[in-house]
Amino acid sequence: MRNYFNYFTEIEERFQQRRGSILLLSTLDWALIETWREAGIPLDAALRGIDAAFDKYEQRQKKARMRRINGLAWCAQAVMEAAEDLREASAGSAIAGASSSDSGFEPQRVSAHLEAAAAALGEAAIAPDACRETAIRLRELAADALAAPAKNESTAKTAADLEALERTLTVLEEKLFASLTAAAPEELLVALNEHASRELAPYRSRMGAVQLRQVERQFVQKQLLAHYNLPRLSLFYMSQQ
């Protein structure tokens, strides 16, 4: 799994590399990167989308003179298309080919991540029943993660187990989001949707309707968790420490 602490830097470097010159990113460019990150767009999807946008631009440039790409918004549609292509695989593609011993997915770290998420949910001030049920399930998964090495010596089997765990966490997150949305005040949900709309406004012309709705939904979900100081469950958000 890539180091997501480098999310901004890697996108900036890839954009500058493909453009062929050092162009300082604008405030809107940084806002777009933040939107991708907050919406959970994988770094691989962002980098692939940037490459795809420039590849397409270079092909057109050969046929007709075009204005130079001066902002990341030009790549927004391609990034969303790349994210959509990776969506089904995102449950485990980043971990499917790595062994737990050298990828940062050691059983102890996975278990600690799940235990920490369970502890945070145990202190939730909203939807206590749903949070408590999720915490119980996370502790069961944490125990399973520690027991896994004794049962599975195969690297491929271990990767498959991590993939299955990530799918389970995705389901738990979706159920948790549904409970939080049902319990949250109407005023808060309206405010979060307005926030998402403002953040995405400069880029609507570069995104398809389906992808835009997906980003808005993910953005609101992330902000809802942040508002109540609740954790993301996915292994993609596991601490790098």
Side-chain angles (χ1 to χ4, degrees):
M1 181 177 289
R2 286 182 179 273
N3 186 341
Y4 274 69
F5 289 106
N6 293 332
Y7 193 90
F8 289 88
T9 301
E10 292 203 34
I11 290 175
E12 179 185 34
E13 290 178 351
R14 180 63 60 85
F15 178 75
Q16 292 174 339
Q17 178 187 46
R18 291 305 306 262
R19 190 175 183 275
S21 65
I22 301 300
L23 175 70
L24 295 178
L25 298 186
S26 69
T27 301
L28 290 180
D29 290 331
W30 288 114
L32 181 56
I33 298 176
E34 176 68 16
T35 297
W36 291 341
R37 188 181 68 82
E38 292 290 337
I41 301 300
L43 178 57
D44 280 344
L47 298 180
R48 291 184 191 186
I50 290 171
D51 284 340
F54 273 93
D55 289 345
K56 188 174 183 180
Y57 167 82
E58 290 167 1
Q59 288 297 320
R60 291 180 176 178
Q61 183 77 343
K62 294 178 181 178
K63 300 178 181 179
R65 186 171 182 81
M66 298 176 62
R67 295 178 60 185
R68 199 167 194 185
I69 295 177
N70 289 320
L72 268 175
W74 183 278
C75 307
Q77 178 67 32
V79 169
M80 294 310 302
E81 290 172 355
E84 185 70 14
D85 290 340
L86 290 173
R87 183 177 61 83
E88 292 184 359
S90 66
S93 61
I95 56 181
S99 69
S100 62
S101 62
D102 61 8
S103 66
F105 289 93
E106 297 84 1
Q108 293 80 5
R109 294 188 67 245
V110 171
S111 180
H113 167 72
L114 299 176
E115 288 285 359
L121 288 171
E123 300 177 357
I126 186 174
D129 290 342
C131 289
R132 182 168 57 252
E133 290 177 4
T134 304
I136 291 172
R137 180 64 179 133
L138 289 174
R139 290 194 170 98
E140 292 174 351
L141 293 171
D144 290 343
L146 287 178
K151 296 183 293 185
N152 306 309
E153 297 181 359
S154 166
T155 296
K157 184 63 168 64
T158 300
D161 287 345
L162 288 171
E163 216 175 321
L165 172 59
E166 182 66 18
R167 286 194 293 269
T168 298
L169 295 176
T170 298
V171 170
L172 290 176
E173 272 202 348
E174 288 296 327
K175 293 173 65 176
L176 183 60
F177 285 139
S179 297
L180 293 177
T181 301
E186 177 183 334
E187 295 80 4
L188 173 61
L189 295 176
V190 170
L192 292 179
N193 278 279
E194 290 177 346
H195 182 200
S197 181
R198 288 194 302 271
E199 290 292 321
L200 294 169
Y203 315 108
R204 290 184 180 276
S205 64
R206 293 288 180 184
M207 298 182 187
V210 174
Q211 290 92 349
L212 185 60
R213 285 196 299 271
Q214 181 184 8
V215 171
E216 287 177 328
R217 178 172 177 270
Q218 291 173 327
F219 186 92
V220 170
Q221 289 178 341
K222 174 65 168 60
Q223 293 299 312
L224 186 60
L225 285 177
H227 179 83
Y228 288 107
N229 197 30
L230 297 177
R232 293 300 299 263
L233 308 185
S234 169
L235 297 180
F236 284 102
Y237 293 89
M238 188 164 59
S239 172
Q240 298 297 311
Q241 301 299 322

